Amino acid sequence: SAIKAFQIGNSLEPIDGIASPKLLISLQRRVSLSKDKIDFSSMKLMGTGSGFLVNKGGFVVTNAHVIENCDAVSTAKDSLYITSKVDVENDVAILQSSKLKGYKPISISDEDPVLGQKIYPSGYPLYSTLSNLNFTSGTVSSEVGFRSNTNNFQMTAPIQPGNSGGPILNDLGGL
């Protein structure tokens, strides 16, 4: 019924409720031309976190727990992110923003972190207090995470709430 309503509202024939290429193109144009501002006044801030751009298509990676229970994800009051994929088990979420298309993404290292390696976490911790990028340093203190989880590692760098989802760079600037 929503597709039929869109077809009627935009004079798209036939009015059959089927998602055709013509309908999808019309919908995409309608959304991209929309100048409506998002009204955040009725929404409650659930939390803050960080993320990083991984390709020129505007895709951003963060932690799944950063966006958990959120109705909207934004970095600015006039820009929403679209949630593309969420992997709760690995605590990863992929978001997309059309406003980030074409920006240079972070380079991803081919090497895993090694014990004693210098690392540099960055992010936006305590956003309501600090409201700017925080860049710290430390070393890899274990090549495995909590309960011998080989998907994680441990580090000595200080981080605070809100750093979640932010990149950890090596000494060559790679993720």
Side-chain angles (χ1 to χ4, degrees), residues 148-159:
S148 300
N149 183 341
T150 57
N151 289 328
N152 297 317
F153 65 91
Q154 296 178 48
M155 63 184 178
T156 63
I159 57 172

Side-chain angles (χ1 to χ4, degrees), residues 1 8 17 22-23 44 46 48 53 58 65 67-68 81 85 92 101-102 104 111 117 121 135 147 168:
S1 63
I8 292 167
K22 181 179 177 182
L23 176 122
K44 177 183 172 191
M46 297 298 293
T48 63
L53 188 67
H65 75 265
I67 64 167
E68 186 177 45
Y81 280 66
K85 300 283 181 188
V92 175
K101 286 185 178 178
K104 184 177 180 180
E111 304 296 321
Q117 179 180 13
F135 193 80
R147 294 189 178 153
I168 300 175

Side-chain angles (χ1 to χ4, degrees), residues 74-139:
S74 176
T75 57
K77 292 191 175 188
D78 63 352
S79 174
L80 278 180
Y81 280 66
I82 297 167
T83 303
S84 294
K85 300 283 181 188
V86 177
D87 180 348
V88 175
E89 187 174 325
N90 290 301
D91 196 21
V92 175
I94 300 173
L95 311 172
Q96 185 180 24
S97 171
S98 60
K99 292 190 176 198
L100 295 176
K101 286 185 178 178
Y103 280 83
K104 184 177 180 180
I106 197 164
S107 65
I108 299 175
S109 175
D110 292 332
E111 304 296 321
D112 288 337
V114 294
L115 192 62
Q117 179 180 13
K118 192 88 166 157
I119 47 104
Y120 305 90
S122 64
Y124 291 87
L126 307 170
Y127 187 76
S128 60
T129 305
L130 299 176
S131 70
N132 62 341
L133 181 67
N134 189 307
F135 193 80
T136 63
S137 65
T139 58

